[in-house]
Amino acid sequence: IIKDHVFKIGMSVYVEVITNTVEGAVYIPSNILRENFEDNSKFVFVAENNRIKKTPVKIGVHNWERTQVLEGLKPGDKVISEILGDSQK
């Protein structure tokens, strides 16, 4: 509760309720997760040996900020958040 704040009729509030947490899990920002629309599989791009590699992943718990990765990544993998084309470099 915010001290000295009065809620009035018609006001709205943003609330996030955490229903599940996983200790020691690998998480990535949700906005870098990609989807193959043909089979609904998920993937991310990983930097490996100076190359960009499309890496399939299996996901667990997630929200709009973070997504748990169950398979496909390990701690320390360099996940790419954005790929710039030649005209954007």
Side-chain angles (χ1 to χ4, degrees):
I1 298 177
I2 301 171
K3 187 178 179 179
D4 300 326
H5 187 78
V6 178
F7 290 104
K8 298 179 181 176
I9 294 174
M11 293 178 79
S12 62
V13 64
Y14 169 80
V15 177
E16 179 178 356
V17 178
I18 299 172
T19 60
N20 191 8
T21 59
V22 180
E23 295 293 326
V26 174
Y27 284 92
I28 59 171
S30 294
N31 65 337
I32 67 171
L33 186 65
R34 304 291 179 242
E35 183 174 355
N36 181 338
F37 293 108
E38 293 177 4
D39 61 5
N40 293 326
S41 62
K42 309 290 191 262
F43 66 93
V44 295
F45 292 107
V46 175
E48 187 176 287
N49 299 322
N50 293 323
R51 301 246 186 234
I52 297 173
K53 177 182 171 188
K54 181 179 172 181
T55 304
V57 293
K58 180 178 176 185
I59 64 169
V61 295
H62 57 89
N63 61 23
W64 48 89
E65 291 179 11
R66 299 187 324 156
T67 297
Q68 177 193 19
V69 178
L70 300 172
E71 296 176 8
L73 293 177
K74 60 188 179 304
D77 282 347
K78 295 179 178 137
V79 181
I80 298 171
S81 61
E82 185 176 8
I83 298 175
L84 301 177
D86 287 338
S87 63
Q88 295 175 306
K89 290 184 181 177

